[in-house]
Amino acid sequence: MKLSVSAWCIQKKLFGKEMTILDFIRFCHENGVKYVELLDCFLSGERDIKEVKELLKELDMEVSAYSISNDFVLSESSDRRSQVEYMKKSMDTALELGTRIMRVFSGNNKDGISLDMAEDWIVECFQEAAPLAEQKGITMVLENHGLLAGKSYQVKNIIDRTCSRALKSNADVGNFMLVNENPLEAVKLLKDQIGFLHLKDLKKVDSAEADTVEADTKECYTAIDGSVYQGAVLGKGDVPIPEIIAYMKASGYQGFLSIEFEGPGDPEEGTTECIAYAMKELDK
């Protein structure tokens, strides 16, 4: 298995212009990480891509995945077609960056749209994008994110219905907590369809602390049962990270484990701790 770090780990500093995507790549190199997951929201054009490619070559690093934020749950068919075109165009960017893995979403739940209708639209859009992905050798990895594809069975159902080798799962082990699903059991259900995995830890916040903690909104999330979770350094939350890594290793998974730290405090410090922890677990 190969360790990667997602640029989302330091999204506060990237959005706040305290760091650039090149700074992020250098940060990962300094911490002994060869693979980086890059998001389209942090790349603003061909110049950025050119500079990223040059730095990656200089540092002998590679892109593990290129992540986009599509949304197929849109009532207008023309809007859904636009999202499919966005996805198709992004495949070329992924290839230009040197990766054949592209992280994708299903879409966000919206008032007036039933879950069944939303799933039909999601599947239709993936079926439209899949032939081009197969042709280009791209694997789209669907992240369990939100209510429409939050649970493992929902992700599996979308993948099964799309019926393409170009669509697999990006199992975000932290996100399963937000839909009250055991992350290890979720990974077991999806194991034959996992093409990428996000290492993320979350810690449940006691109800007495929730109001105080929720003031730090960027690092807090409310689960479907109303429980509040806060991002945590790997190994310091409630996600069974060691068991998941051991299971994936025993299952013969050879792909990426990409750290996605979303906890409070300085993101560089938190991510550095996550890297050290993950490296230790991978060496076992």
Side-chain angles (χ1 to χ4, degrees):
M1 295 186 290
K2 296 168 285 189
L3 184 64
S4 164
V5 175
S6 170
W8 192 255
C9 292
I10 60 160
Q11 51 92 9
K12 287 185 291 186
K13 291 194 172 184
L14 289 171
F15 283 128
K17 307 298 183 184
E18 296 176 57
M19 291 179 70
T20 68
I21 198 67
L22 300 181
D23 293 330
F24 164 70
I25 292 170
R26 293 188 188 97
F27 162 77
C28 290
H29 181 259
E30 290 166 2
N31 280 278
V33 176
K34 180 180 177 67
Y35 303 100
V36 289
E37 177 187 348
L38 302 182
L39 287 75
D40 66 347
C41 59
F42 300 130
L43 295 170
S44 58
E46 283 300 320
R47 180 177 176 180
D48 280 0
I49 292 172
K50 180 175 181 292
E51 291 177 344
V52 162
K53 289 171 63 179
E54 288 174 351
L55 182 60
L56 290 170
K57 183 177 181 181
E58 176 188 330
L59 299 178
D60 190 28
M61 295 175 67
E62 297 177 29
V63 176
S64 59
Y66 178 58
S67 296
I68 66 171
S69 299
N70 58 290
D71 185 349
F72 291 147
V73 186
L74 301 168
S75 57
E76 296 294 329
S77 60
S78 59
D79 292 334
R80 296 196 298 275
R81 283 196 298 271
S82 294
Q83 286 293 293
V84 172
E85 290 307 310
Y86 158 51
M87 178 172 283
K88 289 179 175 179
K89 185 177 179 181
S90 297
M91 294 178 193
D92 290 330
T93 304
L95 291 174
E96 188 173 359
L97 288 167
T99 181
R100 294 185 179 275
I101 298 176
M102 190 168 76
R103 193 288 310 274
V104 296
F105 288 144
S106 58
N108 300 315
N109 194 30
K110 297 177 181 68
D111 292 339
I113 299 177
S114 70
L115 295 181
D116 287 343
M117 181 179 291
E119 185 180 288
D120 285 345
W121 290 343
I122 292 164
V123 171
E124 287 171 7
C125 289
F126 277 127
Q127 287 177 333
E128 188 175 339
L132 183 63
E134 291 182 6
Q135 178 186 325
K136 291 179 177 291
I138 291 283
T139 299
M140 302 176 290
V141 288
L142 174 61
E143 183 169 334
N144 48 298
H145 185 271
L147 295 177
L148 298 174
K151 289 181 177 286
S152 58
Y153 81 86
Q154 292 174 308
V155 174
K156 181 173 177 56
N157 196 42
I158 291 169
I159 294 173
D160 288 345
R161 288 186 61 191
T162 301
C163 197
S164 169
R165 66 177 184 274
L167 183 62
K168 292 189 175 182
S169 161
N170 169 36
D172 186 307
V173 298
N175 285 354
F176 287 122
M177 303 285 285
L178 302 179
V179 292
N180 305 133
E181 186 171 15
N182 180 297
L184 180 57
E185 293 306 313
V187 165
K188 287 180 179 180
L189 180 68
L190 289 168
K191 76 175 181 70
D192 294 329
Q193 295 169 313
I194 292 176
F196 201 73
L197 188 145
H198 271 169
L199 287 178
K200 179 194 295 176
D201 212 345
L202 300 175
K203 186 173 182 62
K204 188 174 182 180
V205 179
D206 292 338
S207 56
E209 303 175 76
D211 290 341
T212 301
V213 174
E214 280 189 291
D216 203 359
T217 54
K218 294 292 185 182
E219 291 83 27
C220 283
Y221 309 91
T222 302
I224 58 174
D225 67 352
S227 300
V228 177
Y229 287 86
Q230 186 173 46
V233 168
L234 293 179
K236 294 186 177 181
D238 299 328
V239 179
I241 300 293
E243 290 85 351
I244 289 170
I245 292 176
Y247 177 79
M248 295 303 293
K249 184 182 293 185
S251 298
Y253 178 69
Q254 298 293 316
F256 292 101
L257 304 178
S258 193
I259 294 169
E260 191 178 64
F261 171 67
E262 295 186 348
D266 183 270
E268 289 180 82
E269 292 180 7
T271 303
T272 299
E273 287 187 59
C274 288
I275 292 169
Y277 179 88
M279 286 180 170
K280 182 177 178 181
E281 288 299 320
L282 283 169
D283 283 342
K284 287 184 177 178

